[in-house]
Amino acid sequence: MSDETNDGRGPHSDAAHPNGASHELAMPTADPFADPGLPHHVPRRTDVDERAAKRAERQVSALFTLSTLCTIGFVVAYVSIDKDEIIRVQTLGRVNALNFTLGLTLGGALLFIGIGAIHWARKLMNSEEIVDYRHPMKSSAQDTADVLVMAKAGAADSALPRRKMIWMSLAGAMAAFPITLLVPLRDLGPLPHRKLRETL
């Protein structure tokens, strides 16, 4: 004998649930992505020891000063080293002295700035953890509709759909314009031809 009654209820109907909720209407009550929170803040040594903070400050200043000295060395090397001078560097062999010095000083200037900034951030800047909640980036439906209306009105006012000759010639002009930026590059000097196929 079937368990169904005349009103259509079965063993899996609302009657099977004491609270009267059906499977289709059941909603999860727990947050599937619960906030894990932030770990307990541990103060750094420079936060509690002023002598350590002063030492870190001197270290950061020294790194930035080294960067400045490397920049000065770059300028001095550029104006004082002959471009054809060759030196021998261990493990590298014979290299161009100017290129080697410029690369060394420029790399040092950038490296010391980067190390100094990282050391500054890790030792002296505020280390309190904060939470920045994300906000929706999408425009409202009304703003999107207004933009579409203005775009359609602009296209209609330009008469481009009806003036094929105009938009085709415009496309050709826009495609050809970058040539005016490439041609002057020829004035930078003679073509290298096969010179770049071999190193010094």
Side-chain angles (χ1 to χ4, degrees):
M1 182 174 180
S2 173
D3 292 335
E4 295 183 359
T5 58
N6 294 334
D7 59 358
R9 291 183 178 180
H12 302 291
S13 65
D14 294 347
H17 301 277
N19 58 3
S22 64
H23 285 289
E24 291 76 9
L25 299 179
M27 298 293 292
T29 57
D31 187 356
F33 303 102
D35 185 2
L38 292 174
H40 179 68
H41 176 70
V42 178
R44 303 164 300 184
R45 185 176 180 181
T46 52
D47 295 332
V48 297
D49 187 352
E50 184 61 25
R51 292 179 60 186
K54 289 292 185 181
R55 185 166 56 251
E57 181 180 359
R58 290 193 297 268
Q59 292 169 351
V60 173
S61 296
L63 289 167
F64 289 159
T65 303
L66 287 174
S67 174
T68 303
L69 293 176
C70 286
T71 301
I72 296 174
F74 179 91
V75 176
V76 172
Y78 186 84
V79 299
S80 62
I81 300 178
D82 186 74
K83 65 178 181 178
D84 296 322
E85 183 177 349
I86 303 297
I87 60 175
R88 180 176 294 276
V89 180
Q90 189 175 3
T91 71
L92 295 180
R94 290 167 53 83
V95 296
N96 183 279
L98 178 60
N99 292 341
F100 178 77
T101 307
L102 293 180
L104 194 64
T105 53
L106 178 59
L110 295 175
L111 179 65
F112 288 128
I113 286 178
I115 296 177
I118 293 174
H119 195 56
W120 181 15
R122 295 190 62 181
K123 296 294 184 180
L124 297 174
M125 289 185 182
N126 184 18
S127 64
E128 291 289 340
E129 294 83 3
I130 61 175
V131 177
D132 187 11
Y133 292 99
R134 295 181 179 179
H135 301 287
M137 301 294 292
K138 184 179 180 181
S139 301
S140 64
Q142 183 61 42
D143 290 341
T144 303
D146 292 342
V147 170
L148 290 176
V149 170
M150 289 187 293
K152 292 179 180 179
D157 292 341
S158 66
L160 283 180
R162 295 184 293 107
R163 309 292 183 182
K164 293 184 179 181
M165 183 181 297
I166 292 179
W167 67 260
M168 289 181 65
S169 59
L170 175 62
M174 296 298 293
F177 178 77
I179 298 176
T180 62
L181 304 177
L182 297 176
V183 171
L185 296 178
R186 181 64 182 82
D187 292 335
L188 292 178
L191 294 176
H193 298 292
R194 299 182 58 86
K195 292 181 180 180
L196 297 180
R197 296 182 180 271
E198 298 178 358
T199 65
L200 291 176

